[in-house]
Amino acid sequence: MRTGWLLLLFVACAARRDRAIRSLDSSAKRRSKRLTRGLQHSLDGAKGLLREAKVILSSDFESAFLKATRPDDHPAKQKHVNALISLVEEFPSFSTPTFDPWRPFLHKLWSRCVERDPRTSLKAAYLLHRLGTHKSVDRSACLRTLKCMEKEESKRSKLLYFDLPALSKRRVASSSVDDPLITFLNAYSSFAFLRFRHFDARLSELERVSAGGAAGAISTLKRAQRCLVKALECRVDK
């Protein structure tokens, strides 16, 4: 009888021991998985920071941006503009869930747009115009970021990002005379922004007008009309 009880007690202890071992193994596996996920997250974060540093702190990027928008009477050199466009073409490879390279780029572009020297602002508008006519630029990703930034106020300008009507009014108010350069700058900046905002490099939206419904066609044609009005205002009266 005692032998039977001892045998049952031994079996029960062995079963409890096995359950405890399995519980420890399961707990260890969960901790291991959490640790692995944490390390992977840290690694992804480090990679994102490296990408950000490569894009934003690149001396070539800063140099090309400043030279392309230099406040002088000479046109922006194509080698500097092309260098920036080449960098923008690589943005998809820099993008991560935690880093959007379009945000710092658009921030820098807007900072140049709001410069007091109209020559710098004019070259920034030209850069935006060139981006809008370049087929290999990921315009859809840029527009997603742009739409978010349009709701935010720029600390430097105290205006919403890319609020061209408000910026145009500020330029006119700060000009002591009816400056034809300011008039041209406001018209061209508005045209370049509308062109980029509403139409791709090939203007394919206009090609699809006949294929869509009446409401969509009217909306597209109204946007095209706004672009044309601003384009026709781009003249300097002597």
Side-chain angles (χ1 to χ4, degrees), residues 6-175:
L6 288 173
L7 181 60
L8 289 174
L9 181 61
F10 176 78
V11 171
C13 289
R16 181 173 296 181
R17 180 201 61 192
D18 291 342
R19 286 197 299 271
I21 292 174
R22 287 196 297 270
S23 177
L24 288 173
D25 288 343
S26 178
S27 178
K29 288 179 180 179
R30 288 196 298 270
R31 287 197 298 270
S32 177
K33 288 181 179 178
R34 286 197 297 269
L35 179 60
T36 300
R37 286 196 297 267
L39 290 173
Q40 185 62 45
H41 181 73
S42 298
L43 182 60
D44 290 341
K47 288 180 178 179
L49 290 174
L50 287 174
R51 290 190 181 97
E52 182 174 356
K54 184 176 181 180
V55 176
I56 304 308
L57 301 181
S58 167
S59 60
D60 292 338
F61 171 69
E62 291 288 346
S63 176
F65 214 110
L66 292 175
K67 289 178 179 178
T69 56
R70 181 178 291 162
D72 56 30
D73 295 331
H74 303 289
K77 290 186 177 180
Q78 292 306 301
K79 65 177 181 179
H80 302 315
V81 175
N82 291 336
L84 286 172
I85 292 177
S86 296
L87 176 65
V88 167
E89 290 174 342
E90 299 298 323
F91 275 5
S93 64
F94 295 139
S95 299
T96 69
T98 58
F99 175 59
D100 175 13
W102 276 110
R103 174 170 283 272
F105 180 86
L106 290 172
H107 171 77
K108 287 180 180 294
L109 184 63
W110 178 245
S111 296
R112 304 306 281 173
C113 286
V114 300
E115 284 285 345
R116 291 186 176 183
D117 195 315
R119 297 171 297 181
T120 292
S121 301
L122 186 59
K123 291 178 181 180
Y126 170 70
L127 180 57
L128 180 62
H129 190 185
R130 281 291 307 277
L131 287 174
T133 58
H134 211 277
K135 297 179 182 179
S136 57
V137 170
D138 187 3
R139 178 172 161 271
S140 60
C142 178
L143 288 179
R144 287 194 297 269
T145 304
L146 179 62
K147 289 177 181 178
C148 293
M149 294 180 69
E150 286 176 333
K151 303 174 185 178
E152 304 171 12
E153 183 180 276
S154 166
K155 293 182 180 179
R156 180 175 182 179
S157 65
K158 306 303 181 184
L159 297 172
L160 296 177
Y161 279 101
F162 295 95
D163 187 350
L164 270 301
L167 179 57
S168 296
K169 291 179 180 179
R170 176 181 290 183
R171 287 178 181 141
V172 172
S174 62
S175 180

